Each structure stands twice: as C-alpha cells, then as structure tokens.
C-alpha cells in the first residue's frame, strides 16, 4: 500500500479484444513507431482505494503494446477508446501535419462478439502551424466496414510493416 493506494482488482472482458494490424511509420527518415497493439474493454471486480476513498464496480480498458513508440516523433494522431453500453470503440489514426491519412485501424466490438473494422476517422480540426496539436477539434466519427480483411499497414516514409 504505497502512497495510500491499494488495489485488489480482477478484469472481466465485456467485448472481444481487438488486435491492431502491425504498424511501422516515421517521418523525415526517423522511425517513430514499429509495434503491435491490442485493446479490450471490460469491468473490474474488487476494490481500488486511494487515501480514504474506496472505488468498486469500475469499467476500463486493458491494452498491451510491443515494439518501438517514440511519441515526440509521431505526426498528428487520434486515439479513441469508448465504452458505450453493449459496444466498445477502439481506434487510432495517424496523419501527416498536412492532414494526409497515413494509417488507421480499429473496430467497434460488441458484447455479442461482433467485430466491425474501422477504416477511417473523420474529423474537423484546425492545425497550428509547426505544432502537433490542433487549435480546434470536433469529435472524430468512425467509418467502418463489416469485412475483417486486414493487411499490414504502409507508411509513405517507411514502407510496409513487417
């Protein structure tokens, strides 16, 4: 119980885990990301105590990544993980500073086990010149297709992933 924090939690999946296609990408000849990743929404049974407050019946996400991730070298990216009743949305999209989509992957998964692949996130944002953050953002809207056909991603700077 370090720093007044104590947890005894067990994860129970609500929706299927989604494994993203491997990605290898960078810019200006520098590798920014070369990894595999999965995420899964669920509920935690047990208790989580911070100071004198105790929390239970928690909803959350478990995720795991393997490989290289240099956040400071990534171009602009979106990441969404939403737990919505009987379904979950997990997706990320990488873009150049000019707004060109470099990579998008994710899925809408349901408690019934359905998996619908997301092929792009649409958004409305205003870029700040020379900055990785926008000055204004409207929420991303996932676009999906029912086909689960997938292949490794490619990036104009790095080529196909391994």
């Amino acid at each position: 119980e370090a720093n007044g924090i104590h947890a005894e939690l067990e994860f129970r999946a609500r929706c299927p885990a989604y494994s993203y296609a491997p990605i290898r990408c960078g810019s200006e000849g520098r590798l920014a990301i070369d990894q595999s990743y999965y995420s899964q929404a669920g509920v935690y049974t047990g208790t989580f105590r911070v100071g004198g407050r105790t929390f239970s019946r928690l909803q959350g996400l478990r995720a795991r990544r393997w490989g290289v991730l240099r956040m400071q070298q990534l171009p602009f990216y979106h990441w969404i993980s939403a737990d919505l009743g009987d379904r979950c949305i997990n997706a990320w999209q990488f873009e150049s500073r000019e707004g060109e989509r470099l990579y998008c992957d994710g899925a809408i998964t349901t408690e019934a086990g359905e998996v619908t692949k997301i092929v792009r996130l649409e958004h409305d944002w205003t870029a700040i010149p020379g900055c990785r953050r926008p000055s204004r953002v409207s929420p991303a809207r996932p676009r999906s297709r029912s086909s689960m056909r997938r292949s490794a991603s490619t990036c104009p700077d790095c080529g196909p992933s391994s």
Side-chain angles (χ1 to χ4, degrees):
E1 194 166 316
N3 302 318
I5 299 172
H6 179 79
E8 291 185 31
L9 299 169
E10 184 174 320
F11 182 84
R12 182 181 58 78
R14 286 189 46 248
C15 299
Y18 183 73
S19 296
Y20 293 71
I23 180 173
R24 178 180 171 85
C25 191
S27 63
E28 300 171 5
R30 294 182 297 182
L31 183 65
I33 186 169
D34 183 3
Q35 72 174 16
S36 295
Y37 180 77
Y38 85 86
S39 62
Q40 183 174 34
V43 293
Y44 291 89
T45 57
T47 58
F48 180 69
R49 211 169 45 243
V50 180
R53 296 184 67 188
T54 300
F55 304 90
S56 59
R57 289 187 243 162
L58 302 169
Q59 285 187 245
L61 173 78
R62 68 176 171 183
R64 176 77 176 167
R65 73 178 76 225
W66 297 264
V68 174
L69 176 60
R70 296 184 180 104
M71 294 295 285
Q72 70 279 8
Q73 292 178 8
L74 282 177
F76 188 77
Y77 78 99
H78 315 271
W79 174 68
I80 183 171
S81 178
D83 195 343
L84 306 168
D86 68 342
R87 67 194 62 241
C88 307
I89 300 173
N90 292 294
W92 56 6
Q93 179 168 290
F94 297 87
E95 298 178 7
S96 70
R97 286 194 170 104
E98 294 74 35
E100 176 189 1
R101 188 173 47 253
L102 303 173
Y103 170 94
C104 183
D105 195 8
I108 300 169
T109 57
T110 70
E111 289 181 347
E114 298 165 345
V115 177
T116 304
K117 182 159 176 60
I118 293 172
V119 295
R120 80 173 173 259
L121 297 175
E122 294 180 356
H123 57 78
D124 181 16
W125 59 276
T126 303
I128 300 171
C131 185
R132 290 176 41 201
R133 292 186 223 45
S135 62
R136 181 188 57 79
V137 176
S138 294
R141 295 178 308 276
R143 297 292 179 182
S144 62
R145 69 171 184 245
S146 58
S147 169
M148 287 302 296
R149 192 177 66 228
R150 293 187 0 187
S151 61
S153 64
T154 59
C155 171
D157 293 329
C158 301
S161 64
S162 50

